[in-house]
Amino acid sequence: MAVEEETVSCPSEKELAQMKEDNDLREAQGTSVLTSSTYQIGEIIENKEVQEATGEKIQYQVEEIRVQDQIDMKEFSEEYFIPDFESKIKSWLNEDGTLKEHERYPLKENGTPDQTNAEKVQGQFVVVHVKAKNAGEDAVDTMLAPLLYTYEQQVNNTLQQVYRYTNASESYQFLSGEMPVYQNIQENTENEKQHIFFKELQSGEEAEYTLIYVIDKDQVQDAYLQFFEGAGLVKVEK
């Protein structure tokens, strides 16, 4: 008897937006991370547990972080915006390259948005230059983009991940969040760039690239780039 192969479909653009929204609607307190898991700009970031378990040895290095009110489109090519500049980015940009104001809702204690207290806020761009290296012996499909999260400093030498707001606009919800809106290495562009954040690095190969994230201006002081699950944090400094 013939057995049909199962087809695994990639999430649609709408489903990805919903996934981001679901993340923002989680409880206000998330992952707790030791402050010793943080790194400085220029330091080598690696996960020893992953290396021991899988033999994969991916090393990251944040070379520069810039927090900007505006971006110069002469510096950043439209083709590298995700999923594309015209449909997702352009409508939220003013002519001078700044972001338009947007509305957000604070999250209640149960993680649901309080739509009675909408507030208008200004966003900023976080421009990050990163180097990734495969220091292992085998090729690895490497995640290029760290996630952008907010953490609060605790008294017991830990950082507590927090979720404070969700965006009122679905289109802005897609624009902001933990994933970058720009990445100037894009090898896997099929399926509306669903696999865009990965690149296969051969043994000894390095990749240098630029990422752009969007974050509310008043959240920058608590923002961290997170390279590994619950580890490998780099504070976003203005």
Side-chain angles (χ1 to χ4, degrees):
M1 182 177 63
V3 179
E4 294 184 0
E5 293 185 359
E6 181 180 359
T7 301
V8 180
S9 59
C10 294
S12 68
E13 184 177 299
K14 185 175 181 180
E15 288 171 334
L16 283 174
Q18 184 62 51
M19 288 165 62
K20 287 188 175 185
E21 183 174 358
D22 291 342
N23 280 338
D24 287 341
L25 295 180
R26 282 181 280 180
E27 292 185 353
Q29 291 191 340
T31 305
S32 180
V33 178
L34 292 173
T35 53
S36 59
S37 296
T38 61
Y39 294 79
Q40 301 297 315
I41 293 176
E43 291 185 330
I44 300 298
I45 305 164
E46 53 188 351
N47 192 322
K48 298 293 186 182
E49 293 182 2
V50 171
Q51 292 177 10
E52 293 175 1
T54 67
E56 297 177 356
K57 192 175 182 181
I58 300 299
Q59 298 175 337
Y60 299 95
Q61 187 177 18
V62 176
E63 299 179 312
E64 182 185 28
I65 298 176
R66 303 198 316 260
V67 179
Q68 303 179 184
D69 290 323
Q70 61 190 124
I71 54 173
D72 184 351
M73 294 306 298
K74 294 179 181 178
E75 180 182 358
F76 304 106
S77 175
E78 290 185 10
E79 68 177 301
Y80 294 129
F81 282 89
I82 304 166
D84 64 84
F85 179 78
E86 288 291 330
S87 69
K88 293 298 181 184
I89 313 298
K90 187 176 181 179
S91 63
W92 283 104
L93 279 183
N94 295 309
E95 291 185 1
D96 63 356
T98 59
L99 286 161
K100 297 177 182 178
E101 281 190 333
H102 71 98
E103 282 193 340
R104 71 184 182 192
Y105 304 128
L107 296 180
K108 301 177 184 178
E109 289 185 2
N110 63 1
T112 60
D114 183 359
Q115 297 186 6
T116 64
N117 286 316
E119 55 189 41
K120 286 191 174 182
V121 291
Q122 184 66 49
Q124 287 186 306
F125 298 101
V126 178
V127 181
V128 185
H129 298 293
V130 182
K131 180 190 294 183
K133 179 181 180 179
N134 182 1
E137 297 180 354
D138 300 315
V140 178
D141 197 22
T142 303
M143 177 71 169
L144 297 176
L147 303 178
L148 183 66
Y149 288 130
T150 51
Y151 280 86
E152 286 183 352
Q153 180 70 55
Q154 306 297 304
V155 295
N156 58 348
N157 292 322
T158 63
L159 294 166
Q160 186 72 42
Q161 189 177 351
V162 292
Y163 298 90
R164 298 170 176 143
Y165 305 96
T166 188
N167 296 305
S169 167
E170 182 178 332
S171 63
Y172 198 89
Q173 185 73 18
F174 192 94
L175 177 67
S176 67
E178 65 268 22
M179 303 302 295
V181 298
Y182 177 96
Q183 178 179 294
N184 67 346
I185 288 181
Q186 296 190 9
E187 292 188 349
N188 305 294
T189 58
E190 64 279 0
N191 296 324
E192 297 183 348
K193 299 184 178 181
Q194 300 297 327
H195 198 66
I196 200 66
F197 301 112
F198 290 85
K199 172 181 170 56
E200 185 173 77
L201 292 179
Q202 302 299 318
S203 176
E205 183 181 0
E206 290 185 351
E208 294 190 47
Y209 48 96
T210 300
L211 307 165
I212 300 178
Y213 300 79
V214 173
I215 189 172
D216 289 347
K217 190 172 184 176
D218 62 353
Q219 300 301 299
V220 173
Q221 73 274 7
D222 294 324
Y224 288 81
L225 297 167
Q226 180 175 300
F227 283 87
F228 302 106
E229 182 68 28
L233 303 185
V234 178
K235 185 170 177 55
V236 173
E237 301 282 2
K238 291 186 178 181

